[in-house]
Amino acid sequence: SVADSGEGMSEAVLARAFEPFYSTKAAGSGTGLGLAQVYGFATQCGGDVTIESKSGGRLGKSGTVLEPGDSVTTAAGATAVIELPDGSKLKLRESSRLAVTLPGPKSVVTEAFLSFGSAFAKVTKRLAGQQFNVRTPSAVAAVRGTEFFTAYGRAKGKNRDLWVCVNEGAVELTTTKAKQPLTVPAGKGVLIKFGLDLTKPQAYDWT
């Protein structure tokens, strides 16, 4: 399931939410195809999509996608929570994008790909042989029953700094440049300079 903290939809808007080219935004600000595409992708895969929303509510709109689909993107001022079947949760902060790939018949790996922005993760304990990875274009964080935060920072060309801060458990980091993985324990944080160079873990005050 996916949830955000927007202002929600009225019943009239909710009734037309999946209608192609329908948009509540000003002319030229939206195509009206976002939710229509989500509905099309899900139904083509044999699944379904539902939306629960209340205008003016604190939780904004929420939905349930029965088939794992595309990435989730948050706009400025909005957040989203992705709940996985194993109980793990990923919270996207504003202006972020995350895609999740769940284990299949021939895979024991759950992967979350953070394209930009930042996210909190609360991962349930892995069973024997199972893996949970959070990826960026140049780094991989292998999670072992943990709570952590990751965020992009300053840019240099196409590369960006990446922060990884661990609250519970541990994260094992690797990059396309680093020769050896680095384990970040609880209470520590690491700066991956421009997504490549791993720095020494430093004490981090989780807030």
Side-chain angles (χ1 to χ4, degrees):
S1 66
V2 178
D4 70 37
S5 58
E7 64 182 16
M9 301 180 189
S10 66
E11 291 186 4
V13 172
L14 185 60
R16 302 183 64 186
F18 293 124
E19 183 179 316
F21 304 109
Y22 174 72
S23 177
T24 58
K25 296 179 180 179
S29 298
T31 64
L33 292 174
L35 288 176
Q37 289 179 320
V38 170
Y39 181 82
F41 294 149
T43 53
Q44 288 172 17
C45 293
D48 196 8
V49 182
T50 60
I51 296 177
E52 297 176 0
S53 184
K54 182 179 180 181
S55 182
R58 292 180 63 189
L59 294 180
K61 57 186 178 181
S62 64
T64 301
V65 181
L66 301 181
E67 285 289 332
D70 288 338
S71 59
V72 177
T73 305
T74 54
T79 61
V81 176
I82 302 173
E83 297 183 8
L84 304 183
D86 65 2
S88 299
K89 293 183 179 181
L90 298 161
K91 180 179 180 180
L92 274 70
R93 300 179 70 185
E94 64 175 344
S95 305
S96 302
R97 176 177 293 168
L98 186 80
V100 177
T101 301
L102 298 175
K106 298 181 180 180
S107 173
V108 294
V109 180
T110 298
E111 288 200 330
F113 188 90
L114 183 66
S115 301
F116 56 82
S118 56
F120 289 93
K122 177 67 174 179
V123 179
T124 58
K125 186 176 182 180
R126 302 288 94 188
L127 298 176
Q130 292 184 335
Q131 299 179 48
F132 192 107
N133 296 333
V134 176
R135 290 182 175 272
T136 69
S138 57
V140 180
V143 181
R144 299 194 297 274
T146 193
E147 181 179 24
F148 76 99
F149 169 73
T150 182
Y152 282 99
R154 60 179 180 164
K156 181 179 181 181
K158 294 183 179 180
N159 296 323
R160 281 188 172 274
D161 283 348
L162 187 71
W163 292 94
V164 177
C165 304
V166 181
N167 186 43
E168 297 176 358
V171 170
E172 187 176 86
L173 289 171
T174 58
T175 72
T176 54
K177 184 177 180 179
K179 296 181 179 180
Q180 297 292 333
L182 176 68
T183 298
V184 185
K188 299 286 187 177
V190 165
L191 169 64
I192 307 175
K193 293 183 178 180
F194 304 118
L196 299 172
D197 296 315
L198 291 168
T199 61
K200 183 179 179 180
Q202 301 288 329
Y204 176 80
D205 185 15
W206 185 270
T207 56

